[in-house]
Amino acid sequence: MRSDGKIPVDGLLTRADHVLTCDASFRVFSPGAVAFHRGTIVAVGPCSELEERYAAKETWSLQGHLLLPGLVNTHVHAAMSLFRGVGDDLPLHHWLHERIFPAESRFVRPQFVHLGTLLSCVEMVLGGTTTFCDGYFFEESAADAAERIGMRAVLGQGVLNFPTPDVPDPARIADRVAAFLESFSRRPSRLTPSLFCHAPYSCTPETLQWAKDLCRDHGLLFQIHVSETAWEVQEIQSRYGRSPVRLLKDLGILDKRTLCAHAVWVDEEEIQILAQTRAGVSHSLESNLKLASGIAPLPAMIGAGIPIGLGTDGCASNNDLDLFSEMSLAAKIHKAAFDDPTVCSARQVLLMATQGGARALGLGGIIGSLEVGKRADLVAVDMDQAHLTPLYDPVSHLVYAARSSDVRHVWVDGVPIVRDGTVQNLDVSQVLGEARTLARKIRTALFQP
Ligand SMILES: [Zn+2]
């Protein structure tokens, strides 16, 4: 306590036109403020109250801005931004086997993953994403990139039963995973390891159970693509006599520390299985649309109470990492697909991009809403713009009218990693230059054989 009676804190974000807490009662303060200290939120409320109570090392005056929790991207293959646009307008199986797998076997190395993840981190933070859940190869290099830019991340080491760029001999996967997990003993706590089993068709039941057991032993999130396409469901049905979700349930894979990416082709009973096991779902809509995989029954999954977050998937199938466009699309397409304009409201979709995503990743206790005790991951959106004027409902504007380019400031653990639309502590032009240089080699190899 200081002599003037004020409590010293590291940061005070005040005079925001609106503070959307995205908490359980969806409190909104207009105008509002947030105070944080040592990376943790210590107060959220009316700005006059917080200005009276706290003296901050740094105070941000945010007139014309809206404050909300940092967005959570629950399904990414970040390094694949270097393959953005190499295989468009193709069905998933052809895209994967004719374009992506050959390109990955030729180019994916630790330096590739570091550069591609850095590029993705730049795109994500500039668009208000503070946490991402990744799944790829050489994930130590993805962790290096996330650490450098200051993001929060769940980093899933890829596990498959066929040769991959970092495990040419699938029999050595256990050694690879052990080395990966060991590397996290030296990471900041905002970076957590995970295992990412590619899919029920690319991992054997024994591998799935081995990876899940390992995740249980270490308290890690288990990630997997599930029921992404009709082909996958038929394939798993013919191999195992049951659907992918039922297979995972029978193998004991589904629980609250399992994240199912996609879940497009799931029936009513499978939705109940996901809800009862408390498994999370990453709704990766744009990727599902671009690959014509289908449209997930999102309203039914929301109704069943499944923890659902939004995911962009990798840049090779989206082709960006923009959660604002994912929110807008998710709030609209299900209305048309299910002939009901009342489903997937702006509020429900915003909650998926924040606390829903955090819950699906098992991080609901520390991020996803602006509440005392949670980490200070925040985004300030500049609302003083023609396409956001007039403003009657901030939630409506965020989902239906705002763009990722409207994000001005971003904090993770109370550290400003984007100020005035500029990424801090990183030479972005150098990252873009290196990406273009590598892309010239990829272009030559893939398109001029
Ligand atoms: Zn994916």
Side-chain angles (χ1 to χ4, degrees), residues 75 77 196 225 228 261-262 313-314:
H75 184 60
H77 313 293
F196 167 57
H225 292 129
E228 180 175 3
H262 304 299
D313 215 341

Side-chain angles (χ1 to χ4, degrees), residues 25-95:
S25 48
F26 208 79
R27 290 177 304 156
V28 178
F29 298 98
S30 307
V34 176
F36 56 81
H37 193 60
R38 293 183 178 162
T40 299
I41 294 172
V42 294
V44 184
C47 44
S48 54
E49 208 178 291
L50 269 67
E51 285 179 21
E52 183 83 10
R53 205 175 344 142
Y54 296 102
K57 277 187 202 154
E58 184 169 20
T59 298
W60 301 63
S61 196
L62 296 170
Q63 288 98 337
H65 290 74
L66 185 155
L67 268 180
L68 73 153
L71 303 180
V72 179
N73 189 338
T74 54
H75 184 60
V76 199
H77 313 293
M80 293 184 84
S81 53
L82 292 170
F83 293 139
R84 194 193 315 264
V86 301
D88 294 333
D89 310 326
L90 298 168
L92 183 137
H93 225 60
H94 185 110
W95 170 82

Side-chain angles (χ1 to χ4, degrees), residues 12-19 31-34 36 47 51 59-68 378-384 408-411 420:
L12 179 63
L13 316 181
T14 189
R15 304 191 187 181
D17 292 4
H18 307 277
V19 174
V34 176
F36 56 81
C47 44
E51 285 179 21
T59 298
W60 301 63
S61 196
L62 296 170
Q63 288 98 337
H65 290 74
L66 185 155
L67 268 180
L68 73 153
L378 298 109
V379 173
V381 179
D382 181 0
M383 306 301 279
D384 187 19
R408 284 293 169 273
H409 315 293
V410 177
W411 296 262
D420 289 320

Side-chain angles (χ1 to χ4, degrees), residues 131-192:
T131 297
F132 69 103
C133 181
D134 201 48
Y136 210 56
F137 311 110
F138 300 110
E139 277 291 291
E140 294 92 335
S141 299
D144 289 341
E147 185 168 349
R148 183 163 166 201
I149 206 161
M151 289 184 77
R152 190 178 307 284
V154 178
L155 299 141
Q157 171 61 40
V159 173
L160 291 95
N161 281 106
F162 61 82
T164 62
D166 59 351
V167 190
D169 175 5
R172 306 298 302 272
I173 187 66
D175 295 342
R176 174 75 191 94
V177 165
F180 168 71
L181 296 180
E182 164 60 24
S183 75
F184 275 79
S185 60
R186 303 177 293 277
R187 300 281 183 195
S189 60
R190 67 173 188 277
L191 303 178
T192 51

